[in-house]
Structure formats: structure tokens, C-alpha cells
Amino acid sequence: TTMPGAAGAGTQAPAAVDDGPTVDPQVRDLCKQFNIEDRLMRKLNAVMMRRPESFDEDIQTLRERLGEPRADVGVLITQLDKGLFVSLGCMPKPMVELVRKYGLDDRASQRLAESMMRRKETMLDDLKDLDVRLASAERPSGLLMTLLQGLDTSGKLPAPPRSLGLPSGHRDRERAFGGHE
């Protein structure tokens, strides 16, 4: 017997095609666009249904993140599930600007949001200090992870590494090797 009102009631084949609860059309489209298998689509849908307040922003951010190289839908589902997923829409504007300015990857953006949420009172100063340190980094996301680890451990940012070309004497060498300031 099928429940009245169930999607496709009476027309469903045995378990092989059973979709379980109806998958939101936006989740289905997203999964189709990025070739995400059904099992993960259902898992993503279940997690997304528990986040109705940020659903549209989450879909938009998922679409951006899944378009990045080495995107991992499993990691994103876990972040959504644990409340660690940060869509740009729910980040404060200065944080979004830093993420966009340096093209920070998913992990770095996530870590930035986590660290800054614990430091709301000094966030704007922290973001300015991070901006200075990231300005000449070849791999801003990697550097940011290191800087935030120091910030979370000691409560303050480590001094800019000499390789950044910030202390005197190193700028010329950076320039000679094509580094930018």
C-alpha cells in the first residue's frame, strides 16, 4: 500500500529506483550539474532540509564551491551537517571581501569564518592584519591557514614571515624574482 499523496504513488519500481523522500528540485539540479551520485544527492538533500533559513544561499555557495578544482561534496555535506558550512551570504561583508580578493579556497574560507566568529570584537582589525600578510603570498589560502592557527593558539597573529618581503632588505630580492608586493 502506498501513502496517499506520495510522489509517484503506485508507479514506483522496487528499491532500486526508490528515491525515498522527495528530493528538492534545486538539490536535484545541483547534483545533476556536478554529476553527484544519487546516494550523496539524498544525503545532501536531507542535510539541506534541516537548514531552511539559509537554503537558497547554501545552494548558491554549494554551486560555487563544487565548481572549484578538487571540490569534495562529501566534505561539504559534513560541513553542512555539523553547522560548519559557511556561505558567503552569511559572512560579514569585510570577510567576504578578503575571501574574494585572494580567491581563498573552501577550507581557508571556512577556517577564516570559524576563527573570526570567535573574535567578533577584534574581527575588523584581524582582517586588516591578515590582508597585509596575504598581500604578497603566492598561496594565500595556505598562508591563511597557518596564520589562523597561530591566531587561534596564541590570540595574536604571528609576525609576517620574512619571505613575504615585508621587513626591509627582502623587498628587492622578491622583486628580482618576479614576486609582487
Side-chain angles (χ1 to χ4, degrees), residues 63-83:
R63 185 163 274 122
E64 290 168 13
R65 295 208 184 145
L66 288 167
E68 293 171 0
R70 298 184 309 282
D72 184 339
V73 71
V75 169
L76 295 174
I77 291 171
T78 302
Q79 289 174 349
L80 282 160
D81 196 29
K82 291 183 174 169

Side-chain angles (χ1 to χ4, degrees), residues 16 23 49 85 98 100 109 116 122 128 144 178:
V23 174
M49 291 301 118
F85 184 85
L98 192 76
R100 291 208 164 116
S109 304
M116 293 298 109
T122 58
K128 281 189 191 110
L144 181 68

Side-chain angles (χ1 to χ4, degrees), residues 39-149:
R39 177 183 62 85
L40 289 171
M41 176 182 68
R42 282 191 288 280
K43 206 169 170 182
L44 176 62
N45 188 67
V47 171
M48 291 290 287
M49 291 301 118
R50 294 196 294 270
R51 297 171 55 97
E53 66 291 337
S54 60
F55 185 90
D56 291 331
E57 283 175 350
D58 289 346
I59 286 283
Q60 184 182 341
T61 302
L62 281 166
R63 185 163 274 122
E64 290 168 13
R65 295 208 184 145
L66 288 167
E68 293 171 0
R70 298 184 309 282
D72 184 339
V73 71
V75 169
L76 295 174
I77 291 171
T78 302
Q79 289 174 349
L80 282 160
D81 196 29
K82 291 183 174 169
L84 298 174
F85 184 85
V86 179
S87 57
L88 290 179
C90 65
M91 279 184 180
K93 196 172 186 293
M95 206 183 300
V96 173
E97 287 167 4
L98 192 76
V99 167
R100 291 208 164 116
K101 179 175 181 179
Y102 294 106
L104 297 175
D105 68 25
D106 205 33
R107 278 183 41 233
S109 304
Q110 192 69 45
R111 188 84 164 69
L112 176 66
E114 288 169 22
S115 293
M116 293 298 109
M117 288 306 139
R118 290 194 291 268
R119 299 175 55 87
K120 286 187 172 83
E121 60 291 337
T122 58
M123 182 176 75
L124 291 176
D125 289 334
D126 290 340
L127 290 170
K128 281 189 191 110
D129 291 343
L130 288 166
D131 190 11
V132 167
R133 286 162 175 79
L134 295 175
S136 59
E138 283 180 33
R139 297 193 340 269
S141 293
L143 176 60
L144 181 68
M145 298 293 272
T146 305
L147 292 172
L148 291 173
Q149 189 174 355

